[in-house]
Amino acid sequence: MKSILLKMFFGICGFLLGVIFIIYRCGYILEGKKKRADRFYAYFNLLDRWLSCKEQGYELVGFLKENNIKSVAIYRMGKIGNHLKYELDESGIEIKYVIDEEEDVIYGKEVHYNLQDNLPSVDAVIVTSVDEFEEVRDKILAINKILNVISLEQIIDYMENNNSF
């Protein structure tokens, strides 16, 4: 009788631990999916705001020229980075290099650096990643104290609020 009760006790404990583990795992998976969805929403919102500015005739280049920025580096050459590169190539702003932690990514003619590298001087480093700007800025400035690090989102904020160019 004692062994049957002991087996039932361990069986119930095992079942409860399994349920707790599954609930924990599902929460962990859902949390990761929510973070990813939030990031994609932030990217969508940034692109929507950028496109709205373009539709109203305001260009990123206006901000750069107004601030005497003639050469830039782009951090993170994902989809948004490629759109930024295209717009800058069309405007005559020089892209001296790209910064990305993905070592296996091959870019066009741009020179590639990592965040840990001593970066050459440019008028501005434009960070295209919307969810990690402060962290990236701090990493860049820890090694390269004289660089001007701005986010694409800051430029778009400026375009929306100061429609003077």
Side-chain angles (χ1 to χ4, degrees):
M1 181 72 167
K2 208 176 197 185
S3 73
I4 293 174
L5 288 175
L6 201 55
K7 287 179 184 178
M8 283 179 49
F9 173 75
F10 285 125
I12 291 171
C13 286
F15 175 76
L16 290 175
L17 285 174
V19 168
I20 291 170
F21 175 77
I22 296 219
I23 290 171
Y24 170 77
R25 259 325 260 164
C26 287
Y28 180 76
I29 290 169
L30 289 175
E31 183 179 319
K33 291 192 182 289
K34 182 182 181 331
K35 284 182 183 177
R36 188 169 185 213
D38 289 345
R39 185 172 9 126
F40 281 124
Y41 177 75
Y43 282 127
F44 167 78
N45 190 39
L46 179 74
L47 286 171
D48 181 53
R49 292 172 53 216
W50 187 0
L51 188 56
S52 292
C53 286
K54 287 181 77 74
E55 290 169 348
Q56 295 173 23
Y58 307 118
E59 299 287 333
L60 284 168
V61 179
F63 170 85
L64 299 175
K65 288 181 179 176
E66 192 170 292
N67 288 285
N68 204 26
I69 296 173
K70 297 178 180 129
S71 64
V72 299
I74 299 175
Y75 174 81
R76 189 64 49 101
M77 285 297 291
K79 301 280 187 204
I80 292 178
N82 285 322
H83 289 293
L84 176 62
K85 178 187 176 308
Y86 177 80
E87 188 161 328
L88 294 178
D89 282 342
E90 294 293 309
S91 71
I93 302 288
E94 179 185 11
I95 302 170
K96 285 200 172 180
Y97 56 90
V98 297
I99 307 166
D100 210 319
E101 297 178 281
E102 301 290 329
E103 301 242 9
D104 57 341
V105 177
I106 298 174
Y107 302 107
K109 60 186 176 191
E110 290 81 23
V111 178
H112 172 263
Y113 288 96
N114 288 315
L115 283 176
Q116 298 79 20
D117 294 334
N118 193 8
L119 303 171
S121 181
V122 290
D123 295 329
V125 175
I126 301 175
V127 178
T128 63
S129 181
V130 294
D131 57 343
E132 57 185 4
F133 171 68
E134 290 83 13
E135 178 184 331
V136 170
R137 182 193 60 215
D138 293 345
K139 285 181 181 178
I140 291 173
L141 293 177
I143 299 172
N144 309 278
K145 298 193 184 321
I146 62 168
L147 288 176
N148 179 21
V149 183
I150 56 177
S151 73
L152 181 58
E153 193 166 20
Q154 288 171 327
I155 297 172
I156 292 171
D157 286 345
Y158 184 86
M159 289 167 51
E160 288 176 331
N161 297 324
N162 302 307
N163 300 327
S164 60
F165 45 85

